[in-house]
Amino acid sequence: MKNRLKYNVPGCGTLTANLFDYTCSLRDFLGYYEHIDRFRRINQLGKLSEVFQGVHHKRYDYVFLQLALISELCKNKKNDFGLSADRKFCGHINEIGKVPSMGELLQCLAILTNIGYLEGTFATARSWITLLKGDKEKYNHFKNGLDPIDRPLLKQIVDNYDYYRFNVILGLFFLQRYKRKSKQHVEFATKLLRLYVNYDQSDIQQVELFELYRTIRTISFITLDSFYAPVPFNLELSSILLGFDTLYESLFVKNTTYRIALRNLERVLQDSVYLSSDRCLCTS
């Protein structure tokens, strides 16, 4: 079980990610169903690579960048996020012999939240929702392939044409197919993915986990997508990594100036790239 990986992320250079026990176990489990190989094939921006020539970074680059950021964050002894503390709300996998830490859950989220993306990413999601919305028989087949707990989420996504979250429901659909290999892995992964879309906002441990993951995710896609997309800014990952000792609080504590700036950059990318007129034509 290889737990230290190096990978050259375009625009960022060679990064190292130390994978934890739960991360390695989940990676190997999903790798059996070729999800890791799919990460290497799928363009991060999907059909937008046809609009922005030269944009060829893969979803694996995006996932690995998140894993590396989480790894660096866990090494930082000054942070007070409790990343080594046990978290019991997702259960555990017996073969690992312990409950996961917050750092492990963060790395598992980096993998799990991406297994539901297909070739074409948002374009494919829009096509799927259109198909399900217009064909009751296919909708019922899809619904019956989900755990009954997840069926209301499917209805919500289809009714609201929420293609940004279609990857989550498809990930949950995939996981239901894998129980024969390991029911415990499926139960653990399913609980975590469900919480990702609907966590208990009165539980401070869950709030901390998912707010922190949201920031890690935002830093990762802004770093990669701004490097390729035609926007007048980009994030220097090397500066973030070198400045972790002084920047971690500004980047990862809610409502700081840096966090607000990240949210604004996220909106600019959404408006100028993901929701641009070229993008809408490309994914229609």
Side-chain angles (χ1 to χ4, degrees):
M1 190 179 291
K2 192 173 182 181
N3 61 7
R4 183 179 175 85
L5 301 178
K6 287 191 174 183
Y7 182 73
N8 191 311
V9 177
C12 301
T14 300
L15 302 178
T16 300
N18 295 310
L19 305 188
F20 307 124
D21 291 343
Y22 269 80
T23 320
C24 290
S25 185
L26 186 64
R27 175 203 60 189
D28 294 344
F29 173 69
L30 292 172
Y32 177 83
Y33 295 100
E34 301 186 353
H35 282 286
I36 309 304
D37 289 338
R38 287 180 57 252
F39 289 165
R40 298 178 187 275
R41 294 198 308 268
I42 296 174
N43 285 326
Q44 163 67 5
L45 290 179
K47 289 291 185 179
L48 277 176
S49 61
E50 298 174 10
V51 176
F52 304 122
Q53 297 300 311
V55 177
H56 299 304
H57 58 302
K58 303 298 182 182
R59 187 150 295 273
Y60 186 85
D61 302 342
Y62 171 65
V63 173
F64 192 90
L65 180 51
Q66 291 182 56
L67 294 173
L69 278 171
I70 296 163
S71 177
E72 287 297 316
L73 200 56
C74 290
K75 287 195 308 185
N76 189 295
K77 302 302 181 184
K78 292 185 179 181
N79 79 62
D80 57 355
F81 300 122
L83 298 184
S84 61
D86 292 344
R87 294 292 182 260
K88 299 179 180 180
F89 47 76
C90 287
H92 67 284
I93 299 172
N94 283 342
E95 69 179 40
I96 299 177
K98 67 181 185 70
V99 297
S101 67
M102 184 168 170
E104 287 176 309
L105 290 179
L106 285 170
Q107 287 195 333
C108 289
L109 278 169
I111 296 174
L112 279 173
T113 55
N114 285 281
I115 66 171
Y117 284 105
L118 302 172
E119 299 283 351
T121 59
F122 291 137
T124 310
R126 287 162 63 96
S127 298
W128 265 97
I129 293 175
T130 300
L131 176 67
L132 295 175
K133 206 173 183 70
D135 191 320
K136 187 174 182 179
E137 182 179 1
K138 288 184 173 59
Y139 176 89
N140 286 332
H141 280 312
F142 193 104
K143 181 183 72 173
N144 291 336
L146 292 168
D147 187 291
I149 295 173
D150 302 315
R151 292 171 187 174
L153 177 62
L154 172 66
K155 184 177 187 306
Q156 186 181 55
I157 288 171
V158 172
D159 287 349
N160 296 327
Y161 212 72
D162 187 359
Y163 54 87
Y164 277 114
R165 293 199 299 171
F166 187 76
N167 64 298
V168 177
I169 201 66
L170 191 55
L172 290 167
F173 181 91
F174 285 150
L175 288 170
Q176 289 302 304
R177 320 269 80 74
Y178 306 156
K179 287 182 177 179
R180 184 175 296 178
K181 181 168 176 60
S182 174
K183 188 175 180 180
Q184 283 201 340
H185 279 82
V186 170
E187 289 177 349
F188 166 77
T190 299
K191 285 179 183 177
L192 186 56
L193 204 49
R194 282 176 184 152
L195 284 174
Y196 174 68
V197 292
N198 188 27
Y199 62 87
D200 182 356
Q201 297 192 20
S202 67
D203 185 325
I204 190 169
Q205 292 183 351
Q206 292 186 28
V207 172
E208 287 177 344
L209 173 70
F210 293 106
E211 283 292 322
L212 184 54
Y213 178 67
R214 182 185 177 192
T215 299
I216 291 165
R217 174 182 170 275
T218 300
I219 290 173
S220 299
F221 82 71
I222 291 178
T223 298
L224 281 178
D225 294 356
S226 66
F227 180 75
Y228 289 101
V231 291
F233 60 81
N234 68 309
L235 287 185
E236 289 288 342
L237 184 68
S238 59
S239 299
I240 293 174
L241 294 178
L242 290 172
F244 250 166
D245 283 350
T246 55
L247 287 177
Y248 81 91
E249 185 172 344
S250 297
L251 286 169
F252 299 105
V253 175
K254 195 172 183 180
N255 294 329
T256 61
T257 303
Y258 280 85
R259 281 283 298 272
I260 293 169
L262 283 175
R263 297 290 175 260
N264 289 333
L265 291 178
E266 182 179 11
R267 281 192 282 270
V268 170
L269 270 178
Q270 287 175 341
D271 292 342
S272 62
V273 179
Y274 312 130
L275 299 177
S276 67
S277 57
D278 285 340
R279 178 227 184 257
C280 293
L281 287 172
C282 184
T283 59
S284 60

